[in-house]
Amino acid sequence: MSMKIFVLGGDGFCGWPTSLHLSALGHDVVIIDDLSRRAIDVELEVGSLTPITPMGTRLRAWREVSGRAIPFHRVDVAREYDRLLALIEAERPDAIVHFAEQRAAPYSMKSSRHKRYTVDNNLNATHNVLAAIVESGLDVHLAHLGTMGVYGYGTAGMKIPEGYLPVEVVTEAGDRVRQEILYPANPGSIYHMTKTQDQLFFAYYAKNDEVRITDLHQGIVWGTNTPETLADERLVNRFDYDGDYGTVLNRFLMQAAVGYPLTVHGTGGQTRAFIHIRDTVRCIQLALEHPPERGERVRILNQMTETHRVRDLARLVSDATGAEVAFVANPRKEAAENDLHVTNDLFLGLGLEPTTLDGGLLAEVSDVARRYAHLADLDKIPCTSTWTRQQRAGAPGAAGSSPEGAPTAPEGVLTGSD
Ligand code: USQ
């Protein structure tokens, strides 16, 4: 059944391919975006490695390729509540996909201004959407992009469940009562903290107003293109490689392509959850096709397909390409080593067929990186955003001892043959 779907943040790395995927399936997609991600490129003096085209060009190209129109409204969801509400009332969407948040942890930690922007933007955006859905009186299903980072990355050996943790408490009368609670939040950055706070908004609005909400706790996305973004050069998706927005596996593949030693933070013992961008768009589709009932608690799904340790990824890329591996001081405050076991039964049960690292798509990312390598600004590769004032000041033993506070100097270098 065809739905009308608002994609908030439909110009971004996940939002753009999702918009095209949903449109290709025959849904009526409306993109709402304030183009802030492009403004941040200007602020950081860096751009997508792939030459993304302006929104008007993107949408014209999509109409030519698919015969389908995607209307676009430039709205800042965090600030322009009245315009958002008016659009919901006029268009009456069946579902809203909410990507309209600042999504980079390092960007959120750059300064107090960046922390405050991330909190103001992300929390207001989420709350405005929820308040507008209730105000409209419509039964709109909200699907939100959360993050695996809400859980933290450590467990006492157990698998991280999908959102809810079964607990048993002893009452005053000595009875044992079992219930499920939201898994305890344990954010590792201001950005991740905003997503943990989003969860409380969702729990409240699902309980009080019976808004139907799905929260998708996504891992680190790798890859860049989907079948739809490959249909025309003007539809190409973003490829972030810089120290703030580039995510680890895409960065390693890009670094190998331009001959830059792979920037492993610390020992590289951090284990994280991963998902390919093609699975991201399929998961959104599956979540929209299986909405919760009215009055149901927030439906939480872990949107990831596999876990990997950072140094193993570096080794994989190094073995495939001969790239050097550089162990650099970690600019973040995070566990040096962790194990991570995650449940993703809900998406598997809905029919997701995971795209994994051994599926041959690593080469596709490398090809994209090599193709546009001449556009890269290598000075933007180091992660210069530090998590604490001490790291910024270059305290002994901490990251950031270079003149600009940038942890640029490799502490040790391995080659692919080591
Ligand atoms: N790392 C390196 N070298 C690098 C870049 C990163 O060793 O050059 C390490 C980091 O220290 C960290 C890990 O790789 O331990 C992951 O970093 P990342 O930048 O790939 O991912 P992260 O900051 O966690 O954020 C990304 C997305 C965010 C999403 C999150 C999912 O930007 O929107 O929510 O992944 S998750 O990590 O599961 O919380």
Side-chain angles (χ1 to χ4, degrees), residues 244-396:
D244 289 313
Y245 277 86
T247 49
V248 65
L249 180 53
N250 276 5
R251 273 168 61 77
F252 287 172
L253 290 163
M254 177 275 178
Q255 291 166 355
V258 300
Y260 196 100
L262 311 185
T263 54
V264 173
H265 291 165
T267 62
Q270 309 91 321
T271 307
R272 295 289 183 273
F274 289 84
I275 184 167
H276 192 275
I277 187 75
R278 292 178 186 216
D279 285 352
T280 293
V281 305
R282 288 195 200 111
C283 284
I284 304 287
Q285 171 197 344
L286 290 170
L288 294 177
E289 288 170 354
H290 299 87
E293 300 287 328
R294 237 185 128 79
E296 203 179 310
R297 72 179 180 184
V298 178
R299 182 168 293 181
I300 301 176
L301 294 89
N302 292 339
Q303 190 162 308
M304 50 73 68
T305 55
E306 53 190 336
T307 59
H308 293 285
R309 207 174 280 277
V310 166
R311 65 169 167 263
D312 294 340
L313 294 177
R315 170 72 65 181
L316 182 77
V317 174
S318 165
D319 285 348
T321 62
E324 285 185 352
V325 178
F327 290 89
V328 302
N330 194 344
R332 304 184 182 205
K333 188 167 182 172
E334 61 185 357
E337 305 269 334
N338 70 288
D339 290 322
L340 185 62
H341 306 284
V342 183
T343 310
N344 65 343
D345 297 340
L346 293 177
F347 271 125
L348 297 178
L350 294 179
L352 178 71
E353 289 169 19
T355 304
T356 51
L357 254 52
D358 49 20
L361 288 173
L362 286 168
E364 185 190 291
V365 182
S366 297
D367 288 347
V368 171
R370 269 197 300 273
R371 178 163 178 208
Y372 298 109
H374 61 286
L375 297 176
D377 178 350
L378 304 194
D379 291 342
K380 297 295 180 184
I381 289 181
C383 293
T384 59
S385 176
T386 48
W387 258 231
T388 66
R389 285 168 65 89
Q390 288 76 6
Q391 286 170 315
R392 196 166 311 150

